Each structure stands twice: as structure tokens, then as C-alpha cells.
Amino acid sequence: MNRVVAWAPGWQRLRSGRLGAGWMVVAALFFALMGVFVKVGGRSFGALELLFYRTLFGALMLGGVMVARRRNPLTPNWRGHLQRSLIGYVSMGLLFYALTHLPLATAITLNYTSSLFFTLICLVRLKEPLTRTAALALAVGFGGILLLLRPTFASDMWFAAAMGLASGASAGFAVFQVRELGKMGEAPWRVVFWFFAISSVFGAVLLLLGPGFTPLSAETFWPLLGVGLTGMCGQLAMTRAYKDGSKFLVASFAYLTVAFSAVLGVLLWGDVLPLEALAGILLIVFSGVLAARR
């Protein structure tokens, strides 16, 4: 009985949508599940094709909501959207490649180094002062990267690990572009919509000029649907979290994606990471939380 009473307030907040930063916990779970579907879909599709369906599903779903709410997608900032979409597309493509070749937690963690690279970009491009907190975050984070990469560079997975790290670097650039678009007055929903729409066009062109589309079947379609649904739900929950919650708490809770991914990797594929890799993951998560406080 006491357990029911204890859970009731949280359940009521979930039903009413008043979760605040807690929405990031929901988003983290969906993003971890998206990684699972990407790994499963990787048995039948390449990374570019998985990414195409991910962005196409997002564009159609968000576009439908925009039509229903009569929101105008037109923007005068086409150049900024093209730059953000191209960088974001490259980042997600690299992440999807890493997800299909690395343990789930390793690929996700490498992508989540984006906060470190974003900090570096702000230091260089905006000439922000290097605070003690930022310096500590960078030192700890890049130390964690070395620990995490060491087992993969000692195996045949070094290329996938390099692609995962590159996804984090390009994601840092993408976050910087989103920040610049926000300064131009662009609404978050418009930024997300054009990212999905432009990325879908990129993906279609690359697939038509390259390997083409893999024929769909009942057995192969469900992972694609899973990637689209979980990715879109994660995006919506993350947007709600940044709207309603404390930015520091939201940024900290985002790293739960790493924890969820580690648990799912063990349960579904028996992923066992060396101690040095686990230490690297913990250091990267700690540095990310520090970077959010700078």
C-alpha cells in the first residue's frame, strides 16, 4: 500500500505532463532504445539507410503536427539551416555506423562527447574565458576518451571507434549551430523540422546515387519503425525537458542514455566492457556534467 502511495505523485506528474527536467529521463530511455533498434536494423540495412528512415519519419510526424497547428515552416535563415542540417546529418550518420559496429554503451558514450567539443568551440569561436570548471571538464573528459578508446584501438574495432568519436565532435558543431539559429530567433520546432526534412533529402540522394534502397519486408520493417518512433519520442521529450526544466538538470539527466544503453547492451547482447572502458565512460559522463555547469 505504501509503495502505491509513494508512486502516485510521480505517476500523476507523468499523466499531467508536469515532469520538468524529468522529461529528460524519458528522452534518455527512448534514445537508448533507438540505439537498440539501430543495432537490430543494422543486420539488414546500412547506416545511411537507417538514418534516412529515422529522419523521414521525424519529418512526416513533425510536419503533420505543424500542419494541424497551422505553423509556418518558412524561414529567412536558409543558410544557417543548411549548415546545421549537413553537420547534424554527418554526426548522426557516424553515430549510426558506430552503433552497428560497437557495443551499445561505447557508441553512445563516444557520441556524448559532444558537450566537450561544444565547450572547445565556444572557447575558440566565441573567445569565452577558460574557467577552472571548463578546464577540469576538458581534462577529465579527454582522459576518459583515451581510456574508452584504448580497448577498441587494440582490436579490430578501431575504425568504428574513430567514427563514434567523430560523431561526438560533429555533434558539438551541430549544437553550436543550433545555438546560433536560436540567436537568429528561430523556434526549436522549426530547427528540428528542417533538420529532419533536409537530412531526408540528403539521405535519399546519397542512397539513389550509391547502394540504393533495400527491399522492405514484414521482418525488416519493424526495426525501421522502432528507430523512427523511439527517435521522435526522444526528441519530443527532450524538447519538453529543455522547455520546462532546469537546463543544468536536463543536461545532467541526458547522460542517463549512457546508463540505459549499458544495461540494455548487457541484457540483449551480453556486452562486457573492460574495466578501463567502464572507467572511461564514467569519466566522460562526469566531465559532461561539469561542462554543463561552465
Side-chain angles (χ1 to χ4, degrees), residues 121-175:
I121 294 166
C122 289
L123 292 174
V124 175
R125 293 284 296 272
L126 303 180
K127 304 198 182 300
E128 291 186 353
L130 180 61
T131 64
R132 290 183 180 180
T133 301
L136 179 60
L138 291 172
V140 171
F142 285 108
I145 289 171
L146 291 176
L147 281 175
L148 181 59
L149 290 183
R150 187 174 176 183
T152 59
F153 276 94
S155 67
D156 59 353
M157 296 188 295
W158 65 269
F159 183 77
M163 296 301 99
L165 185 59
S167 79
S170 51
F173 278 100
V175 172

Side-chain angles (χ1 to χ4, degrees), residues 47-57 199-200 203-204 207 213:
L48 285 180
E49 201 165 2
L50 289 167
L51 180 53
F52 168 75
Y53 287 107
R54 158 75 175 96
T55 56
L56 179 65
F57 188 94
S199 295
S200 297
L207 287 168
F213 288 88

Side-chain angles (χ1 to χ4, degrees), residues 51-67 73 189-201 228 231-232 235:
L51 180 53
F52 168 75
Y53 287 107
R54 158 75 175 96
T55 56
L56 179 65
F57 188 94
L60 292 175
M61 183 174 179
L62 189 54
V65 173
M66 288 165 59
V67 170
W189 57 267
R190 188 180 286 120
V191 174
V192 174
F193 171 75
W194 283 116
F195 166 60
F196 284 149
I198 294 172
S199 295
S200 297
V201 175
M232 193 63 216
Q235 193 81 41

